[in-house]
Amino acid sequence: MNGARRICVIGDELVAGVGDPKALGWVGRVTARTPLEPAPLVMTLAVPQETTTALSARWQAETALRFGPAPTTGEHHLVIGLGRGDLAAGISLARSRLNLANILDVAESQRLSTFVVGPPPGGIGEPEQQAELSGAFADVAHRRRVPYVETYGPLARHDQWLADLASGDGHTPGQAGYGLMAWLVLHTGWHRWLGLPDDAA
């Protein structure tokens, strides 16, 4: 494990792959397609239906336990998998933006390389609200030059994604939906973020 990169993935049930019969989710699929040597230590830290307010309060303590002391080689990486919990909790768009901004600013101060995956469509809130939330998160990330994966736009009218949601609980996708999320992550700067050729996807 010496020299292996440590990647902490924080977020809600989507980063844990809830609803995937193969128990891989998008994180497992992306990890399997990430040709790093030695293999990275990828740790998911999920809380179901979590808001950005709760995430902002817990992530530092939880990732510090997994990152440990600064490595002699490699880097510590933080992936933020954003969900739709803020809509269910009635959190304002301004507060959602501020919560993400605070996480990114603290991560930068700790010299963590950070990558953000936006919330996909489904379940909670009206489509317009979901689109606005994703757009707000994207703006915060882009202003800080942090890679952001837009999942709402590409999946909002994707037949396979919608069918996957409809066949489950309407909130979390199944095998096909997580595969679509993984594809978007892999083709939106994931390998470049890790210093790998883009054609590695």
Side-chain angles (χ1 to χ4, degrees):
M1 196 176 295
N2 290 339
R5 300 198 205 189
R6 297 189 177 197
I7 304 175
C8 284
V9 187
I10 59 175
D12 66 2
E13 64 271 17
L14 291 172
V15 305
V18 171
D20 182 2
K22 289 197 171 183
L24 291 171
W26 68 262
V27 175
R29 288 173 170 80
V30 168
T31 301
R33 297 288 300 274
T34 303
L36 282 173
E37 290 293 340
L41 178 58
V42 180
M43 297 159 280
T44 56
L45 306 172
V47 174
Q49 301 175 9
E50 186 171 47
T51 66
T52 57
T53 300
L55 181 64
S56 179
R58 77 169 171 97
W59 78 271
Q60 285 178 263
E62 293 195 14
T63 57
L65 292 172
R66 278 79 181 180
F67 284 140
T72 55
T73 59
E75 296 177 79
H76 290 163
H77 292 69
L78 178 69
V79 179
I80 306 169
L82 297 167
R84 320 173 201 101
D86 285 10
L87 297 178
I91 293 175
S92 70
L93 204 61
R95 173 54 62 179
S96 297
R97 290 176 60 99
L98 181 61
N99 289 335
L100 177 59
N102 287 340
I103 295 173
L104 295 180
D105 290 345
V106 172
E108 182 181 20
S109 73
Q110 295 182 355
R111 298 183 179 179
L112 298 176
S113 179
T114 308
F115 189 94
V116 181
V117 179
I124 302 169
E126 297 299 324
E128 295 80 7
Q129 293 175 305
Q130 296 175 18
E132 286 177 355
L133 185 65
S134 180
F137 287 148
D139 183 61
V140 171
H142 291 156
R143 286 174 182 271
R144 287 159 176 77
R145 298 183 180 179
V146 172
Y148 182 85
V149 179
E150 166 66 34
T151 65
Y152 179 83
L155 298 178
R157 297 183 180 179
H158 195 290
D159 290 342
Q160 194 172 28
W161 173 265
L162 297 174
D164 218 30
L165 284 183
S167 66
D169 61 6
H171 295 274
T172 55
Q175 182 177 334
Y178 280 116
L180 291 169
M181 288 188 70
W183 191 93
L184 288 170
V185 171
L186 289 166
H187 291 82
T188 316
W190 176 261
H191 291 93
R192 183 168 60 252
W193 177 61
L194 291 171
L196 297 169
D198 279 339
D199 61 7

